[in-house]
């Protein structure tokens, strides 16, 4: 997962570049962030980057998201409904949204008008115009627009502000451009007659440039900001999931899973129910009863600390619950597969060890399998973890090494960064600047390594090291200070500590 902040920067730059290219004023174009199917925390991330307009397509999912975010204090978001409108969903839409862009028939307009709560200001609406001439797409036919405009004007709780159109899903860009041009001229026709007509909503990730060229005042962008949408897969639906423990890492795994899996099929258990609020907010069941969670689950994530895992395993084993149909996934560090299988009397167990950058989708997840884990189990768990980063498979000894290099690794890298920053500051650089300098240097160097898979890292280093030069002088000191020796001892010490832990459980 690319960072949303980063994606937003790129999208805003694109909007700005296209508006320059097509001689539009940047302030005339609103970016609507389309967050349908995406979790609340992604909305919050975009919000924290300064975005205030969000678009949703599914009334039930959206209403829950909006209510929950309002409760958390995100009250100044302007929510746009952009999906097809079913008659039985108009009440939810009228209650929760600020603007509805997909009004395409009179009955829907009338119901939204009647169901708009009286204490709220009139609901703003756009008419969705069918410009792509595809039967299956919703939208008012151009020939019917005039009648619908008149009908909406007569409804006191609705305020019409313009048109919305969806370009045809085709490789033929000239065709899309012609559709946008058609909607633009319809819009301009009305705009000359009425001053309150000011929104022309056109353009998505694939055709935003054409839309800006043809006068769009609002581009609706989903994929380029939040990544591809994962619709809940059948295969995952059949697998109820339990989380024993809702701490930090469990939460990170949970977040990855709910991107492709219905949160409603997940049960999270923990000793303090009030700490499980965030799972409940996403639609999952929560309980203080571990056995209750395990009972109906096909996949059980063991997310408790290693120190209490033994007692949790004993509790599960002695509950009498049928464990034969269950896959267990443990994230307890230092806790061997054999220690788990001894207690549970099954070998369908997977050990995983994600490192902390997994929270950003940039993690390394070490994965090790017991002998009764099937290929289907492996594939399922890898699908569940794919939003956290790269999975590296290995035996349990490899797991320990991956733990030392990648689990402890971030701290080693932080230490290195701290040292660079403090040297920059010691030589007179402002603390804030020093941090930016080092962040960019480490991020940039890692990116160089990633982008240049055909080069060895040594050759990248040599490319910036001329003999007798400044880098050369610095590297020589690293050698004299036995840098490799220090790293060797560092990794060995982490490994030795892992072995000590293993003996404890
Ligand atoms: C989903 C959706 C979008 C966003 O599409 P992307 O291709 O992800 O940018 C825009 N408009 C409407 C009406 C949508 O349903």
């Amino acid at each position: 997962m690319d960072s949303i902040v980063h994606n937003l920067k790129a999208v805003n730059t694109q909007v700005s570049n296209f508006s320059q290219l097509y001689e539009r004023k940047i302030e005339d174009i609103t970016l609507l962030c389309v967050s349908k199917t995406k979790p609340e925390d992604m909305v919050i991330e975009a919000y924290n980057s300064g975005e205030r307009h969000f678009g949703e397509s599914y009334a039930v999912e959206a209403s829950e998201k909006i209510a929950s975010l309002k409760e958390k204090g995100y009250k100044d978001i302007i929510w746009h409904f952009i999906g097809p409108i079913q008659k039985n969903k108009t009440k939810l839409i009228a209650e929760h949204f600020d603007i509805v862009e997909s009004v395409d028939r009179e009955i829907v307009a009338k119901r939204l008008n009647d169901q708009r709560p009286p204490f709220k200001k009139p609901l703003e609406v756009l008419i969705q115009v069918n410009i792509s001439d595809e039967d299956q797409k919703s939208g008012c036919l151009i020939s019917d627009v005039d009648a619908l405009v008149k009908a909406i004007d007569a409804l006191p709780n609705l305020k019409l502000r313009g048109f919305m159109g969806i370009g045809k899903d085709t490789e033929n860009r000239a065709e899309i451009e012609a559709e946008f041009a058609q909607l633009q001229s319809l819009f301009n026709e009305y705009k000359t007659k009425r001053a309150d007509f000011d929104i022309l909503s056109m353009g998505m990730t694939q055709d935003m440039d054409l839309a800006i060229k043809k006068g769009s005042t609002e581009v609706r962008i989903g994929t380029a900001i939040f990544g591809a949408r994962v619709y809940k897969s059948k295969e995952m639906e059949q697998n109820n999931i339990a989380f024993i423990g809702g701490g930090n890492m469990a939460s990170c795994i949970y977040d990855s899973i709910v991107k492709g899996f219905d949160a409603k099929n997940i049960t999270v258990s923990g000793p303090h129910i009030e700490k499980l609020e965030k799972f409940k907010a996403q639609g999952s069941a929560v309980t203080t009863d571990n056995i209750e969670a395990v009972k109906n689950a096909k996949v059980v994530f063991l997310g408790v600390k290693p120190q209490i895992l033994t007692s949790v395993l004993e509790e599960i084993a002695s509950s009498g619950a049928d464990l034969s149909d269950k896959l267990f996934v443990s994230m307890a560090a230092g806790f061997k597969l054999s220690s788990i299988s001894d207690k549970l009397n099954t070998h369908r167990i997977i050990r995983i060890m994600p490192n902390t950058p997994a929270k950003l989708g940039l993690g390394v997840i070490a994965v090790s399998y017991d002998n009764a884990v099937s290929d289907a189990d492996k594939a399922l768990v890898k699908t569940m973890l794919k939003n956290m980063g790269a999975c590296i498979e290995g035996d349990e000894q490899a797991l320990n090494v991956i733990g030392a290099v990648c689990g402890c690794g971030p701290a080693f890298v932080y230490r290195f960064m701290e040292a660079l920053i403090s040297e920059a500051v010691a030589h007179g650089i402002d603390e804030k600047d020093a941090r930016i300098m080092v962040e960019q240097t480490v991020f940039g160097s890692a990116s160089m390594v990633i982008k240049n898979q055909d080069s060895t890292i040594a050759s990248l280093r040599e490319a910036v090291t001329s003999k007798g030069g400044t880098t050369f002088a610095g590297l020589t000191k690293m050698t004299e200070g036995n840098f490799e020796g220090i790293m060797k001892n560092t990794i060995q010490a982490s490994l030795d500590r892992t072995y000590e832990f293993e003996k404890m459980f």
Side-chain angles (χ1 to χ4, degrees):
M1 185 181 71
D2 268 339
S3 121
I4 290 170
V5 178
H6 176 270
N7 291 348
L8 270 170
K9 246 191 211 157
V11 168
N12 276 307
T13 305
Q14 275 184 318
V15 172
S16 158
N17 289 347
F18 290 133
S19 64
Q20 251 177 27
L21 180 63
Y22 297 119
E23 296 173 349
R24 302 279 317 278
K25 281 195 232 141
I26 180 76
E27 61 270 24
D28 289 346
I29 302 167
T30 302
L31 174 62
L32 178 66
C33 305
V34 178
S35 49
K36 64 187 179 198
T37 79
K38 299 294 178 181
E40 273 175 49
D41 55 354
M42 287 195 170
V43 174
I44 293 173
E45 217 173 318
Y47 180 97
N48 288 338
S49 298
E51 301 303 333
R52 290 298 178 270
H53 291 265
F54 289 85
E56 291 280 338
S57 298
Y58 307 104
V60 177
E61 175 206 323
S63 305
E64 288 167 6
K65 210 183 285 182
I66 295 170
S68 165
L69 283 164
K70 282 224 164 96
E71 210 169 283
K72 289 182 182 154
Y74 300 94
K75 294 190 176 32
D76 60 341
I77 293 179
I78 298 150
W79 290 100
H80 299 235
F81 190 83
I82 60 174
I85 304 177
Q86 293 167 278
K87 267 196 298 180
N88 64 357
K89 297 292 179 347
T90 49
K91 185 159 184 287
L92 272 183
I93 296 169
E95 283 173 353
H96 287 94
F97 282 84
D98 303 292
I99 171 161
V100 181
E101 304 198 357
S102 44
V103 175
D104 61 355
R105 57 202 195 277
E106 194 174 336
I107 177 70
V108 162
K110 188 154 184 333
R111 287 177 69 95
L112 288 171
N113 177 76
D114 296 348
Q115 291 165 334
R116 179 68 169 173
F119 59 88
K120 290 200 162 180
K121 63 182 176 89
L123 182 61
E124 300 191 342
V125 298
L126 306 182
I127 292 175
Q128 181 179 345
V129 182
N130 187 335
I131 48 173
S132 58
D133 224 10
E134 285 172 284
D135 294 342
Q136 74 276 22
K137 277 240 175 79
S138 34
C140 177
L141 293 176
I142 290 184
S143 52
D144 298 336
V145 166
D146 211 38
L148 187 53
V149 168
K150 290 203 173 78
I152 294 173
D153 279 343
L155 297 167
N157 298 328
L158 300 188
K159 183 177 174 345
L160 183 61
R161 288 191 61 181
F163 296 139
M164 184 268 259
I166 301 176
K168 193 171 181 173
D169 187 9
T170 168
E171 298 287 306
N172 184 346
R173 294 180 39 92
E175 197 176 346
I176 301 172
E177 187 170 340
E179 290 167 2
F180 287 163
Q182 192 182 17
L183 191 56
Q184 179 183 34
S185 75
L186 188 71
F187 178 73
N188 286 341
E189 211 177 287
Y190 278 88
K191 201 172 151 64
T192 53
K193 291 183 276 186
R194 40 198 300 165
D196 57 352
F197 236 62
D198 58 355
I199 302 179
L200 177 57
S201 169
M202 304 191 297
M204 310 178 15
T205 295
Q206 292 305 331
D207 52 23
M208 126 168 121
D209 56 328
L210 299 175
I212 291 173
K213 185 174 177 187
K214 294 298 166 194
S216 170
T217 71
E218 179 193 299
V219 287
R220 308 178 306 266
I221 308 297
T223 309
I225 299 171
F226 299 111
R229 286 174 290 277
V230 184
Y231 288 93
K232 322 288 183 195
S233 73
K234 274 269 149 28
E235 156 209 59
M236 281 207 196
E237 293 294 348
Q238 296 154 355
N239 288 284
N240 282 323
I241 300 173
F243 274 86
I244 310 299
N248 251 334
M249 234 349 129
S251 217
C252 173
I253 293 170
Y254 175 95
D255 289 342
S256 169
I257 292 177
V258 293
K259 281 171 194 151
F261 184 92
D262 198 336
K264 289 190 182 64
N265 294 346
I266 304 178
T267 305
V268 184
S269 73
H272 305 291
I273 200 97
E274 66 282 359
K275 288 193 182 156
L276 305 176
E277 235 357 271
K278 61 172 182 275
F279 303 107
K280 205 171 155 197
Q282 303 239 39
S284 294
V286 297
T287 173
T288 53
D289 183 347
N290 292 338
I291 304 307
E292 169 81 23
V294 169
K295 237 177 3 198
N296 296 316
K298 290 274 164 49
V299 183
V300 179
F301 280 88
L302 301 164
V304 298
K305 293 213 166 63
Q307 296 86 320
I308 44 177
L309 184 55
T310 305
S311 67
V312 167
L313 293 175
E314 281 165 357
E315 184 193 358
I316 295 172
S318 63
S319 71
D322 178 15
L323 306 184
S324 62
D325 64 340
K326 301 186 199 313
L327 171 67
F328 288 88
V329 184
S330 165
M331 53 194 105
F335 214 101
K336 284 178 141 169
L337 287 167
S338 58
S339 308
I340 303 172
S341 60
D342 283 352
K343 293 271 185 281
L344 296 182
N345 207 15
T346 165
H347 287 279
R348 235 178 115 203
I349 308 168
I350 300 180
R351 268 185 75 187
I352 61 171
M353 260 195 338
N355 63 359
T356 50
K359 288 180 189 160
L360 305 177
L362 296 170
V364 174
I365 307 117
V367 187
S368 197
Y369 307 112
D370 204 346
N371 54 36
V373 173
S374 69
D375 286 345
D377 290 339
K378 293 178 186 177
L380 179 66
V381 166
K382 280 194 273 186
T383 309
M384 288 177 171
L385 303 178
K386 72 166 188 231
N387 294 305
M388 296 169 67
C391 286
I392 309 279
E393 300 168 308
D395 60 17
E396 286 191 286
Q397 171 52 19
L399 205 71
N400 291 335
V401 177
I402 300 168
V405 174
C406 308
C408 311
F412 304 153
V413 175
Y414 301 149
R415 185 82 182 263
F416 177 75
M417 293 173 79
E418 288 174 73
L420 276 183
I421 290 173
S422 91
E423 287 315 307
V425 171
H427 290 275
I429 304 284
D430 170 78
E431 181 114 31
K432 237 185 174 164
D433 285 345
R435 177 168 170 147
I436 296 171
M437 283 157 49
V438 173
E439 276 173 14
Q440 283 296 107
T441 302
V442 172
F443 182 63
S445 311
S447 304
M448 287 290 286
V449 171
I450 291 168
K451 290 262 156 70
N452 291 286
Q453 290 294 326
D454 296 339
S455 316
T456 60
I457 300 180
S459 71
L460 292 174
R461 171 169 50 74
E462 280 152 14
V464 293
T465 314
S466 43
K467 189 134 182 128
T470 53
T471 310
F472 181 81
L475 287 170
T476 304
K477 276 287 165 224
M478 285 179 97
T479 308
E480 284 171 20
N482 193 17
F483 182 74
E484 278 71 21
I486 291 174
M487 289 318 297
K488 184 181 171 69
N489 293 337
T490 301
I491 297 300
Q492 191 58 52
S494 296
L495 272 175
D496 289 346
R497 192 77 184 117
T498 307
Y499 302 141
E500 284 170 32
F501 279 128
E502 275 187 346
K503 285 196 203 105
M504 282 162 58
F505 307 116

